[in-house]
Amino acid sequence: MNLIEELKWRGLIQDIMPGTEEQLNKEMTSGYIGFDPTADSLHIGSLVPILLLVHLQGAGHKPYALVGGATGMVGDPSGKSEERNLLSEEVLNHNLSCVKKQLEKFLDFDASKPNAAVMVNNYDWFKDFSFLHFIRDVGKHITVNYMMSKDSVKKRLEGDNGMSFTEFTYQLVQGYDFYWLYENKNCKLQMGGSDQWGNIVTGTELIRRKTSGEAFAFTCPLVTKADGGKFGKTEKGNVWLDAGKTSPYQFYQFWLNASDEDAKKWIKYFTLLSKETIEALITEHESAPHLRLLQKTLAKEVTIFVHSEADYDFAVKASDILFNNDTAEVLQQLNETQLLQVLEGVPTVEVSKQQIEEGYELIAFLSDTQIFPSKGEARKMLQGGGVSINKLKVESGKLKIERADLLQDKYLLVQKGKKNYYLVITK
């Protein structure tokens, strides 16, 4: 497989250094990407670099995932308008171990294979590197003029907050990472997002000046949304890869809600489906966009890739609960966590558990909770068969809400008409 050709049709190449494609076609090449341990989980913005390493390994090359234990202590100014808070060593180490665990899920680390993935931490080579040695062995090779010409530096210097010396040196620190990996691991390629191009090129320049050797690089575009909104953000914040931070159901919903324009682009970025498969899907989608085939395929592929097939199956079932009528059985099967994930955003009302245990008269219950404005309206809709509890239509003989009706001994899902849902919580 020609890796660069593959990435180009996927739209995953923005900048590329001359000779990179030839190097990758010539021999098995080691390449790396750095991951920033500013949180204890990667988010979906990290999926593109993860997939670049997956594609690299799939094409027979050797991927290195660098977790920035040292650079995480400094803070990358690229794309930032102000300096971020520095993390303690304890928090960094916790974040590093979590990020490592996530990366191990996507890459093959089987050491018996020649192109096995390798995890490295730049703290290992920086922890004993004195400041004097750093400015003598690294600083003297890169001029201040060169460093000042970088966009990430220019933008910060022109801004209101300026730039600390710590952040100014970041590109030298990242450049040294590339040099160290080149010298010690024969790593000749660095990849990253397009906002990293300046830092990456500093690394190739340092290698050239210190060794006269040649290093290579390419970047991918930063992912954007067609409507101008920030990719990977929802009202609740980042979409994380950790199921504890963003549930598989919410994760699936994020991809399912992509616009047609975004889905066409993202299915190339975020799945490993072949060119032929993707082109056929786009053609089929365009003939019947209302079926949302692209979004459904995208959501399926990415949810299985990041979580599992079981999580995907649950997400599909959960998505059906509010939209299909034959889901009473599925609703009963959900545990409390899953139930609350599925019904997130549904208006909630509270009632006394004691009243339910004593048998809460149905009409009174529906009006007291203000699901209906009056007993008369509640009675009228009940007679017309327009009320469901836990996805089951309320039969005319039912007069009371009782404890046996509760989901997880605590909740009721009341549906008024076709689209109005209320989650009743007993206290």
Side-chain angles (χ1 to χ4, degrees):
M1 180 176 103
N2 182 318
L3 177 67
I4 299 301
E5 255 176 43
E6 173 74 13
L7 296 177
K8 274 182 178 169
W9 82 258
R10 289 183 181 274
L12 285 173
I13 299 274
Q14 177 140 333
D15 309 287
I16 183 162
M17 197 159 275
T20 301
E21 187 169 1
E22 292 77 3
Q23 169 63 31
L24 289 163
N25 289 339
K26 184 174 78 174
E27 61 188 0
M28 184 178 86
T29 303
S30 295
Y32 89 96
I33 291 180
F35 293 89
D36 201 356
T38 44
D40 59 2
S41 169
L42 298 170
H43 51 76
I44 58 173
S46 311
L47 273 179
V48 172
I50 287 170
L51 280 156
L52 287 180
L53 291 176
V54 170
H55 285 297
L56 184 80
Q57 189 169 39
H61 302 290
K62 190 173 179 69
Y64 280 79
L66 182 149
V67 283
T71 34
M73 291 180 166
V74 178
D76 180 3
S78 304
K80 312 284 191 306
S81 57
E82 55 186 55
E83 189 154 357
R84 68 180 179 202
N85 295 327
L86 300 184
L87 303 174
S88 70
E89 206 165 327
E90 187 186 348
V91 170
L92 263 172
N93 287 335
H94 167 71
N95 292 355
L96 284 166
S97 65
C98 295
V99 168
K100 275 186 177 181
K101 209 176 289 178
Q102 285 182 332
L103 290 171
E104 282 165 358
K105 188 172 181 181
F106 305 112
L107 296 162
D108 185 354
F109 285 85
D110 180 353
S112 67
K113 296 176 181 173
N115 71 328
V118 179
M119 194 95 63
V120 289
N121 179 352
N122 59 10
Y123 183 71
D124 293 340
W125 55 85
F126 271 115
K127 65 178 186 281
D128 299 321
F129 202 172
S130 76
F131 177 70
L132 287 175
H133 281 104
F134 183 77
I135 57 174
R136 191 191 67 185
D137 294 349
V138 181
K140 76 180 182 114
H141 291 285
I142 304 291
T143 67
V144 169
N145 312 50
Y146 180 88
M147 293 170 74
M148 296 274 282
S149 69
K150 294 293 181 333
D151 282 347
S152 59
V153 173
K154 275 186 194 166
K155 282 175 186 164
R156 285 294 296 278
L157 291 177
E158 288 162 8
D160 296 336
N161 299 313
M163 186 181 210
S164 69
F165 174 75
T166 303
E167 284 193 319
F168 183 59
T169 57
Y170 184 89
Q171 61 175 292
L172 289 182
V173 175
Q174 186 172 324
Y176 185 79
D177 284 342
F178 198 178
Y179 166 76
W180 191 93
L181 287 168
Y182 179 90
E183 285 286 275
N184 293 276
K185 304 290 183 184
N186 192 30
C187 187
K188 294 181 179 176
L189 171 70
Q190 186 181 170
M191 303 163 286
S194 58
D195 60 336
Q196 293 296 315
W197 184 245
N199 294 334
I200 291 171
V201 171
T202 299
T204 62
E205 186 66 9
L206 188 62
I207 289 165
R208 188 182 67 78
R209 293 187 184 188
K210 278 180 75 70
T211 71
S212 301
E214 195 176 11
F216 304 92
F218 65 83
T219 64
C220 59
L222 298 179
V223 187
T224 55
K225 283 175 78 175
D227 64 6
K230 193 164 183 189
F231 171 74
K233 291 272 188 189
T234 65
E235 286 173 21
K236 289 189 73 186
N238 282 328
V239 179
W240 300 96
L241 303 190
D242 180 343
K245 289 176 180 286
T246 300
S247 72
Y249 169 72
Q250 291 158 344
F251 186 87
Y252 171 79
Q253 286 292 325
F254 172 83
W255 301 101
L256 197 61
N257 291 325
S259 70
D260 284 357
E261 204 176 323
D262 286 334
K264 277 180 205 170
K265 196 165 59 169
W266 295 352
I267 200 156
K268 294 176 185 174
Y269 285 5
F270 294 108
T271 77
L272 297 171
L273 297 172
S274 69
K275 186 176 183 179
E276 296 71 29
T277 303
I278 288 175
E279 285 173 350
L281 280 166
I282 290 172
T283 304
E284 198 178 334
H285 174 87
E286 284 173 347
S287 66
H290 62 284
L291 297 177
R292 297 179 70 72
L293 176 66
L294 271 185
Q295 285 89 341
K296 287 175 182 173
T297 309
L298 172 68
K300 175 183 180 178
E301 292 292 322
V302 187
T303 304
I304 292 172
F305 179 70
V306 171
H307 296 292
S308 69
E309 195 134 7
D311 287 319
Y312 161 72
D313 290 339
F314 164 71
V316 173
K317 272 187 195 171
S319 301
D320 286 345
I321 282 173
L322 298 183
F323 306 109
N324 290 350
N325 295 322
D326 56 347
T327 50
E329 200 180 322
V330 178
L331 195 65
Q332 294 288 344
Q333 291 166 2
L334 303 183
N335 61 37
E336 184 175 12
T337 304
Q338 292 171 328
L339 183 73
L340 293 175
Q341 284 170 12
V342 172
L343 301 179
E344 186 185 11
V346 170
T348 58
V349 289
E350 292 182 4
V351 298
S352 150
K353 191 163 191 176
Q354 190 180 341
Q355 279 178 292
I356 299 233
E357 285 172 345
E358 290 168 358
Y360 204 150
E361 200 267 315
L362 180 59
I363 303 281
F365 164 80
L366 292 171
S367 65
D368 291 351
T369 53
Q370 296 187 318
I371 291 171
F372 287 89
S374 68
K375 288 183 178 181
E377 284 201 39
R379 192 175 289 110
K380 190 176 166 186
M381 195 168 254
L382 275 167
Q383 286 166 353
V387 178
S388 295
I389 290 177
N390 301 337
K391 297 298 286 185
L392 291 171
K393 193 166 281 190
V394 177
E395 302 300 334
S396 55
K398 185 168 180 67
L399 301 174
K400 291 181 177 180
I401 297 287
E402 297 167 306
R403 187 171 182 172
D405 294 313
L406 296 176
L407 299 166
Q408 298 293 320
D409 201 34
K410 186 175 180 181
Y411 305 99
L412 285 168
L413 179 63
V414 179
Q415 184 178 355
K416 176 173 82 170
K418 283 189 175 179
K419 292 185 177 176
N420 296 308
Y421 287 92
Y422 301 87
L423 178 63
V424 179
I425 304 170
T426 62
K427 295 279 183 181

